[in-house]
Amino acid sequence: MAPQPQRLRWFTFAAPSRFYTLAGALVPWLWAAAAVLGAAGLYIGFFVAPTDAQQGEAYRIIFIHVPAAWMSMLIYAVMAGWAALGYVFNARMAAMLARALAPTGALATCVALVTGAFWGQPTWGTWWVWDARLTSELMLLFLYLAYMALVTSIDDPRRADQAGALLAIVGVANLPVIYFSVRWWNTLHQGASVSMTAAPKMADTMFAALLLMSLAFWAYAAAVSLTRARAIVLEREADAEWVRERVAAGRERAA
Amino acid sequence: MPALFITLYLRELRLARRRPVEVVLPLVFCAAAVSLFPLAVGPEPQTLRQIAPGVVWACALLAAMLSVTQLYALDGADGTLEQMLLGDPGGGVIAVAKAAAHWSLTGLPLVLLAPLFGLLLGLRGAALGVLAVSLLLGTPVLSLLGNVAAALTQGLRSAAMLIVLLVLPLSIPALVFGTGAVAAVEGGQSPGAHYSLLGALLIFSALTALPATAAALRISME
C-alpha cells in the first residue's frame, strides 16, 4: 500500500473543546441559511405557487407540514445513530449530540402533528383521526418524550447516555412503521407527496418551495441542536481547564 | 447455562409463592380496570361487545407494566443483582429467567382469565377463544418490553411512570394486532393473519429485547 501523505483525521472534532469551537463558528452561518432559505421558501410557497385544484388555498400548509414531518423522522434516525456511536465507541461527544437533538426532534414532531390538524380540519372535516400515519407519528412524539425523560431522570451522565442510547436504538423500529404506514394501511392520510423513484407530481414552483423549506428546516435544526450541544459541553466539561479559560475570557469581554 | 436459567426461574417462582398477594394484585387490578369501562362508557351490550377486546388488551398492558416495576427493584436494592451479574454467564440468562418468570406469574393467569373478562363485556363463542390466543401470543411481548424498561430504570426514583412511557410506544403493534384478531373473527374473517403478525412480533422482540435487557443491566451496575 502506498504511504498516504495526509491522513484523514476522523476524530479531530470528537474532542469537546474542538467541537465547541467548530460549532460556534458554524452556528451563525446555519442561522443565516435558515433565515434566507425560509424566507425564500415561504415567499414562493405563499405567493408564487399556484392554488391547488382540489384543496384550494388550504394545501399551502404543506410547506410547513411536510418538512416538519420529514425532520421528525430524520432527526430520530440521526439521534439514534449518534447515540449508537456513543454507546459502541464510548464517545462522549456523540452522546452529547444525541441528547442535544432530542428536543428539536420532539418540536418537529409537534409541529407536524399541529399543522396536520390545521390541514385536516378544512380538508377532512376533522382535527384528528386515529389513522395509521397520525397514530404512529404520535407514538414517535412519545418516544422522544420517553428518551428525554429517561435521560434527565438518571443523574450519572455516563449511565444516562448509555441507557438513552439503548432506548433510542430499540425505538428505531418505529421509523419504518411511520414511513410505510400510508402504503401498508390504506387509510385517510394521503400518500407520499414526493417520491425518490418517480418524477414530482406537483407543479415545479410547489416543489421548489417544498425543497427550500426542507433545507431551511435542516439549517434551523442543525443551528439549534449545535447551540444546545455547546451548552451541554460547557455543562459537562465545567471542570476542564479550557472551559475555565473561556468563561474567564467571556467575563473580561463583558466587563 | 440451562441449569442456571432453571435455578433463577425457580427462585423467582419460590419468591412469588412467599408473597402470594403480589402475584394476585395485577389480576385484581386488571379486573377492577375492566369493570371501570361499563360504568364509564355505559352498559349498552352492543357498545361493550365492540370495545371488549381493546379494553381487555389495554388493561392487560397496564397490569403488565405495573407489575414489571418490581422485577429488579428488590434484587437491585440488596445487591443480589450485582452478584448475579458478576457471575460467568452474566446478564443474558438473568434477562431470560426474569422475563419467563414475569410472564408465568402475570401473563399466563391473564390469558386464562381473559375469556371471563370477555364474557363479562358480552363477547360470545369463538371470539372468547381468539381473545385468549391473541393474549397468549401478545403478553410475552409485553413482558419482554417491560423487562427492557425495568432494567433501564432500575434504581430510579420515578421508575414506575417512566416504564409506562417507555413501553407504550413500542407496544402499539401488539395492541393493534391483538385486538385486530378479535375484530376479524367478529367480522366473520379468519384471525390467522393477525396470529402470524403477533408471532413474528414475539420472535422479533425476543431477539432484540433480551440482549437489550442484558446491556441495560450492565449499564445500571456501573
Side-chain angles (χ1 to χ4, degrees):
Chain A
M1 216 169 78
Q4 285 180 302
Q6 176 100 50
R7 224 155 48 84
L8 254 179
R9 298 204 299 175
W10 290 100
F11 297 108
T12 303
F13 294 106
S17 57
R18 294 207 196 91
F19 169 85
Y20 185 86
T21 320
L22 173 74
L26 283 178
V27 165
W29 292 101
L30 288 168
W31 274 118
V36 172
L37 290 167
L42 284 179
Y43 176 76
I44 297 177
F46 285 142
F47 299 106
V48 182
T51 306
D52 188 74
Q54 287 169 22
Q55 304 187 1
E57 301 294 343
Y59 91 96
R60 287 185 198 272
I61 203 161
I62 193 177
F63 300 119
I64 295 169
H65 176 72
V66 169
W70 281 344
M71 286 312 292
S72 69
M73 289 187 270
L74 182 75
I75 291 181
Y76 192 91
V78 173
M79 181 184 91
W82 281 118
L85 268 184
Y87 183 73
V88 173
F89 296 110
N90 216 344
R92 281 176 304 157
M93 204 52 241
M96 289 188 236
L97 264 180
R99 201 184 262 216
L101 279 163
T104 308
L107 179 72
T109 317
C110 273
V111 169
L113 286 170
V114 170
T115 53
F118 283 135
W119 194 4
Q121 173 56 25
T123 50
W124 297 344
T126 172
W127 295 100
W128 179 265
V129 281
W130 289 97
D131 113 315
R133 177 57 67 87
L134 275 67
T135 312
S136 50
E137 185 78 7
L138 183 66
M139 289 308 130
L140 184 67
L141 178 62
F142 285 147
L143 265 181
Y144 275 120
L145 294 180
Y147 175 86
M148 290 194 286
L150 180 68
V151 160
T152 45
S153 58
I154 303 178
D155 296 328
D156 173 35
R158 208 177 112 82
R159 187 186 161 192
D161 285 344
Q162 296 196 326
L166 266 182
L167 178 68
I169 296 164
V170 171
V172 166
N174 197 27
L175 284 187
V177 176
I178 306 176
Y179 189 76
F180 291 111
S181 56
V182 281
R183 223 183 296 166
W184 289 346
W185 297 275
N186 220 340
T187 43
L188 197 51
H189 196 284
Q190 67 195 59
S193 309
V194 179
S195 161
M196 286 287 213
T197 49
K201 284 172 293 200
M202 56 176 79
D204 283 346
T205 42
M206 284 189 202
F207 185 66
L210 206 53
L211 202 66
L212 283 172
M213 285 307 289
S214 303
L215 291 173
F217 269 66
W218 274 48
Y220 164 80
V224 169
S225 349
L226 285 179
T227 308
R228 199 177 290 118
R230 288 181 93 212
I232 296 174
V233 167
L234 282 188
E235 209 176 291
R236 291 239 189 133
E237 306 281 302
D239 295 330
E241 190 62 29
W242 68 270
V243 174
R244 286 195 196 156
E245 279 167 19
R246 293 245 172 191
V247 173
R251 282 215 186 106
E252 254 168 51
R253 225 179 299 136
Chain B
M1 159 136 178
L4 182 62
F5 165 74
I6 291 169
T7 312
L8 284 173
Y9 178 73
L10 290 179
R11 172 181 174 267
E12 291 292 316
L13 295 193
R14 206 172 303 127
L15 284 173
R17 208 179 60 209
R18 300 204 178 135
R19 290 189 295 262
V21 177
E22 282 181 27
V23 180
V24 182
L25 222 46
L27 298 173
V28 176
F29 166 83
C30 203
V34 166
S35 62
L36 279 179
F37 283 85
L39 299 172
V41 179
E44 294 84 18
Q46 183 57 37
T47 326
L48 284 183
R49 212 178 74 206
Q50 229 163 29
I51 62 169
V55 167
V56 175
W57 258 92
C59 293
L61 171 71
L62 289 176
M65 288 317 105
L66 290 176
S67 54
V68 94
T69 7
Q70 288 302 311
L71 207 51
Y72 295 102
L74 282 176
D75 285 348
D78 66 6
T80 318
L81 188 60
E82 203 158 9
Q83 291 298 326
M84 289 196 286
L85 283 168
L86 284 173
D88 194 27
V93 185
I94 304 174
V96 179
K98 286 273 187 183
H102 178 260
W103 183 73
S104 322
L105 291 169
T106 57
L108 193 57
L110 267 179
V111 172
L112 299 175
L113 276 181
L116 179 64
F117 294 150
L119 208 58
L120 285 173
L121 294 171
L123 279 184
R124 295 270 173 269
L128 289 173
V130 174
L131 179 63
V133 175
S134 75
L135 280 168
L136 183 68
L137 288 166
T139 42
V141 177
L142 302 182
S143 284
L144 286 164
L145 292 174
N147 211 16
V148 184
L152 279 176
T153 56
Q154 203 275 114
L156 301 183
R157 286 178 301 274
S158 47
M161 291 296 232
L162 262 176
I163 287 177
V164 176
L165 186 58
L166 296 186
V167 174
L168 181 71
L170 302 172
S171 62
I172 293 298
L175 215 61
V176 168
F177 297 127
T179 51
V182 185
V185 168
E186 294 270 271
Q189 287 173 313
S190 153
H194 292 92
Y195 287 163
S196 306
L197 283 165
L198 275 174
L201 211 60
L202 176 55
I203 296 169
F204 180 70
S205 44
L207 287 176
T208 50
L210 291 171
T213 309
L217 286 176
R218 268 199 304 282
I219 294 168
S220 74
M221 280 302 131
E222 272 175 15

